[in-house]
């Protein structure tokens, strides 16, 4: 079972900054325009730490200097008392107007384990480049600025009751990010609540929902520190732990959205020949005007996807769309937990067999672009930015668990848990010379 521990987080001081002006999304979803806008909001916006300016490796040293400077100024303050942090995200979805969502979880430290130890369970393959960049940042700053998003299974939602005392008072930090999400954070330090929370959470498995790159980077840094110290690291050294946001997979605010795929830059791509190949394995239905009616297109993909792997197809130069549903066993050499997933069938049959986009090309994104907004994906195909677009259903949480429990991984970008965790909501210094205060 995972070992979960309290931390002494570094938080923004709300008496000195407006949290709505200093929080940011995770680094890997911030465009250059968004980066500039975040920098303009406040000179202390966390984007200056997670995406520092500078040439080469100098930018990582600049982030470290800035992190220490803000603490010296009192803009950031480290808690003197170890805590777990109750974290709420309040949000709405355009797809479900009129409904208000609250995703609840906690921020804490979790002991790092290699995946083959089967304690922390992944579900997605990762890309190499982002891990190298994040390792340099963590190495220079000695801190985690963002959390890994983890899931645990508590159908009774007993842990929510244990946080009730904290939630009845005003949050210690509150701010809204540009996507409209309101973030609320409470410190939980009273021993009665901590004991109750620990009793519920500690025996449970932890599954990585989002942040595989960050977790693997924290693992790499841990191993690097161990090697530099000749393996003489204290068992409870903070560098032996990763910083997680943990949420219950039974939480009613847990939302997973789809990530669509665009194929581009293939030589000799022929749309009619491609559709003919699809018909050999899939039931392919024409959706007249489907590329112009996004709501109907999503509804068709959703309805058919309840019974078998399904995705929509849009092609440049056509107002129509096509609904492709698996019709024959493609005999993919994968575990049964993967075989029935839309993304596995799309990547294994369509991308690899039909289009020749192998695993290496998929990892490098040589011919693939990932788009989260359905209308944007269709519009980009219509503008000729892709040779074909694939409109996906979201991967269900139970599917994520089945894959992780089977020690398998899905193709990269298989899940989009919304909203993203705010960078800067809790920052956690890490050091081989500092032991964490208390384990449950």
């Amino acid at each position: 079972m995972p070992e979960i521990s309290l931390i002494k987080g570094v938080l923004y001081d709300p008496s000195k900054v407006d949290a709505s002006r200093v929080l940011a999304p995770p680094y890997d979803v911030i465009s250059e325009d968004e980066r500039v806008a975040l920098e303009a909001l406040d000179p202390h916006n966390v984007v200056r730490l997670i995406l520092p300016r500078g040439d080469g490796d100098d930018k990582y040293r600049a982030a470290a200097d800035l992190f220490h400077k803000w603490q010296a100024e009192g803009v950031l303050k480290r808690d003197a008392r170890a805590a777990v942090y109750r974290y709420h995200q309040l949000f709405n979805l355009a797809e479900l107007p009129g409904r208000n969502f609250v995703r609840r979880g906690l921020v804490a430290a979790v002991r790092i384990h290699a995946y083959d130890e089967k304690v922390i369970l992944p579900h997605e393959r990762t890309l190499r480049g982002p891990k190298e960049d994040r390792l340099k940042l963590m190495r220079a700053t000695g801190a985690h600025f963002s959390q890994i998003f983890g899931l645990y299974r508590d159908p009774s939602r007993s842990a929510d009751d244990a946080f009730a005392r904290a939630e009845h008072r005003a949050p210690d930090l509150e701010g809204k990010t540009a996507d409209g999400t309101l973030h609320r954070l409470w410190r939980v330090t009273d021993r009665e609540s901590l004991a109750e929370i620990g009793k519920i959470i500690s025996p449970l498995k932890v599954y990585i929902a989002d942040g595989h790159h960050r977790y693997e980077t924290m693992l790499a840094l841990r191993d690097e520190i161990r090697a530099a110290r000749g393996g003489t690291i204290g068992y409870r050294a903070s560098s032996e732990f990763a910083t997680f946001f943990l949420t219950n997979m039974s939480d009613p605010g847990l939302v997973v959205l789809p990530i669509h795929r665009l194929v581009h830059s293939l030589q000799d791509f022929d749309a009619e020949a491609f559709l003919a190949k699809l018909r050999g394995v899939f039931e392919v239905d024409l959706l007249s005007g489907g590329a112009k009616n996004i709501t109907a297109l999503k509804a068709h993909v959703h309805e058919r996807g309840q019974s078998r792997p399904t995705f929509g197809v849009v092609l440049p130069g056509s107002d129509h769309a096509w609904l492709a549903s698996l019709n024959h066993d493609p005999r993919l050499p994968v575990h049964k937990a993967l075989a029935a997933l839309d993304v596995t069938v799309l990547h294994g049959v369509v991308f690899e067999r039909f289009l020749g986009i192998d695993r290496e090309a998929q990892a490098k994104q040589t011919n693939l672009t990932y788009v989260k907004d359905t209308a944007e994906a269709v519009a980009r195909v219509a503008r000729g930015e892709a040779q074909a677009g694939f409109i996906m259903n979201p991967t269900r949480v139970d599917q994520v668990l089945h894959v992780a429990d089977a020690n398998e991984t899905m193709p990269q970008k298989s899940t989009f848990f919304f909203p993203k965790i705010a960078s800067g909501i809790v920052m956690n210094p890490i050091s081989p010379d500092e032991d964490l205060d208390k384990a449950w």
Side-chain angles (χ1 to χ4, degrees):
M1 65 182 68
E3 182 180 339
I4 303 172
S5 185
L6 317 183
I7 61 175
K8 295 177 181 177
V10 174
L11 276 63
Y12 279 105
D13 183 345
S15 71
K16 295 195 173 182
V17 292
D18 177 354
S20 295
R21 304 181 72 84
V22 294
L23 299 179
Y27 78 99
D28 53 350
V29 299
I30 300 174
S31 69
E32 181 56 29
D33 287 345
E34 290 167 333
R35 181 185 187 182
V36 171
L38 289 165
E39 289 172 332
L41 279 176
D42 191 288
H44 302 100
N45 191 286
V46 74
V47 76
R48 298 177 187 272
L49 300 179
I50 62 175
L51 287 175
R53 299 283 185 182
D55 297 325
D57 290 352
D58 287 344
K59 62 188 176 185
Y60 305 115
R61 289 187 287 272
D65 291 343
L66 208 55
F67 184 48
H68 296 306
K69 180 174 181 284
W70 291 355
Q71 291 180 76
E73 293 172 346
V75 172
L76 293 176
K77 288 186 176 181
R78 189 170 191 195
D79 287 345
R81 190 173 179 183
V84 296
Y85 299 84
R86 182 59 161 172
Y87 181 19
H88 285 189
Q89 293 175 290
L90 292 75
F91 61 98
N92 305 105
L93 289 172
E95 293 86 348
L96 296 169
R99 182 176 172 187
N100 298 318
F101 292 85
V102 182
R103 188 170 69 192
R104 302 164 180 84
L106 66 131
V107 176
V110 179
R111 182 173 292 281
I112 298 170
H113 290 271
Y115 290 150
D116 59 11
E117 296 178 70
K118 301 178 183 178
V119 177
I120 307 297
L121 302 175
H123 75 270
E124 275 188 356
R125 297 193 288 268
T126 57
L127 307 174
R128 187 179 303 109
K131 288 183 280 189
E132 295 171 355
D133 166 67
R134 292 298 97 180
L135 179 58
K136 289 182 178 181
L137 180 65
M138 291 182 193
R139 184 188 294 141
T141 60
H144 299 155
F145 298 130
S146 305
Q147 286 77 49
I148 298 140
F149 185 175
L151 299 172
Y152 63 89
R153 185 189 282 119
D154 175 24
S156 67
R157 297 178 59 198
S158 302
D160 289 343
D161 297 332
F163 282 109
R165 281 184 289 274
E167 295 169 348
H168 284 150
R169 56 180 169 83
D172 294 301
L173 193 69
E174 180 176 87
K176 184 175 286 189
T177 43
D179 62 358
T181 301
L182 180 63
H183 305 265
R184 288 177 174 163
L185 190 83
W186 293 265
R187 294 178 180 89
V188 181
T189 58
D190 69 279
R191 296 302 172 184
E192 183 179 352
S193 295
L194 290 174
E196 190 175 350
I197 295 162
K199 183 178 179 181
I200 297 164
I201 300 291
S202 293
L204 305 177
K205 287 184 180 179
V206 171
Y207 302 83
I208 298 178
D210 194 13
H212 290 78
H213 290 102
R214 286 190 291 279
Y215 183 78
E216 291 169 23
T217 302
M218 293 174 188
L219 173 62
L221 182 60
R222 182 206 69 175
D223 291 346
E224 184 179 280
I225 291 172
R226 282 181 175 182
R229 295 293 187 97
T232 57
I233 298 292
Y235 181 76
R236 299 208 41 73
S238 63
S239 56
E240 295 285 306
F241 290 77
T243 313
F244 268 76
F245 166 71
L246 299 172
T247 193
N248 187 358
M249 58 191 66
S250 298
D251 188 276
L254 186 63
V255 173
V256 188
L257 300 178
I259 304 180
H260 311 299
R261 274 78 167 143
L262 305 184
V263 168
H264 60 84
S265 306
L266 292 174
Q267 292 185 351
D268 305 320
F269 177 80
D270 181 274
E272 289 302 322
F274 170 66
L275 289 173
K277 286 183 178 180
L278 276 184
R279 293 186 181 100
V281 179
F282 296 85
E283 178 184 342
V284 180
D285 297 319
L286 176 69
L287 301 177
S288 182
K292 292 291 186 180
N293 189 337
I294 304 299
T295 300
L297 173 58
K298 291 194 296 184
H300 282 293
V301 173
H302 171 75
E303 182 180 359
R304 187 72 65 81
Q306 299 302 300
S307 58
R308 50 183 161 152
T310 298
F311 49 83
V313 180
V314 290
L315 299 167
S318 176
D319 290 340
H320 306 312
W322 289 262
L323 189 67
S325 305
L326 191 62
N327 205 23
H328 303 297
D329 183 357
R331 299 189 180 279
L332 290 170
V334 296
H335 191 278
K336 62 182 181 180
L338 289 166
L341 298 181
D342 300 354
V343 289
T344 305
V345 172
L346 178 66
H347 280 246
V349 177
V350 178
F351 293 166
E352 293 185 35
R353 292 184 187 175
F354 294 170
L355 299 178
I357 307 173
D358 61 19
R359 285 279 187 93
E360 183 177 356
Q362 292 175 32
K364 293 179 178 178
Q365 300 186 47
T366 306
N367 302 104
L368 291 178
T369 301
Y370 298 93
V371 180
K372 292 167 182 172
D373 182 80
T374 310
E376 180 189 352
V378 173
R380 290 177 66 169
V381 173
R383 292 196 298 266
E385 296 177 19
Q387 293 160 309
F390 298 89
I391 307 305
M392 308 299 294
N393 279 312
T395 303
R396 301 191 313 270
V397 173
D398 65 290
Q399 294 174 321
V400 171
L401 301 192
H402 290 156
V403 170
D405 282 334
N407 300 310
E408 299 288 341
T409 54
M410 302 176 189
Q412 58 268 20
K413 306 290 185 183
S414 292
T415 53
F416 173 28
F417 287 85
F418 183 87
K420 293 289 187 178
I421 302 163
S423 295
I425 193 76
V426 178
M427 305 179 216
N428 186 28
I430 53 170
S431 169
D433 299 315
E434 179 180 352
D435 288 351
L436 293 184
D437 192 55
K438 175 182 172 57
W440 278 323

